[in-house]
Amino acid sequence: QGLKPIVSTESPAPVFGTSKLASDLPATDSFLSNNKVPDLQKIFQKADGLPVHLKRGVPDKLLYRTTMALTIGGTIYCLIALYMASQPRQQ
């Protein structure tokens, strides 16, 4: 008689092996219709003396100044915290 197998010998249904045919996929024309790369290349390659991270105007300036303010504020906060930690506690 022998022993019955505990695990089934049939292969399970594939989970990741299913795929769609190319004809079933949506058309990619909507992705290809609006290419912004040439316009951005014109902006970034213009020789106007501005650094690359400020070429797109007001939003870039706002992000740059916010980042600099947070960096300077964080540095000052760390220096104050180090100074306070270096002082002995008074009893």
Side-chain angles (χ1 to χ4, degrees), residues 27-75:
T28 58
D29 293 338
S30 63
F31 297 112
L32 300 176
S33 65
N34 193 6
N35 188 2
K36 296 180 183 179
V37 173
D39 298 331
L40 292 175
Q41 283 177 341
K42 289 177 186 175
I43 293 171
F44 287 119
Q45 292 177 355
K46 191 185 318 176
D48 55 4
L50 286 174
V52 174
H53 58 274
L54 296 177
K55 290 253 184 186
R56 291 181 69 186
V58 176
D60 284 347
K61 288 180 184 177
L62 182 66
L63 285 171
Y64 176 74
R65 290 179 181 165
T66 303
T67 303
M68 287 298 111
L70 288 171
T71 303
I72 292 169
T75 302

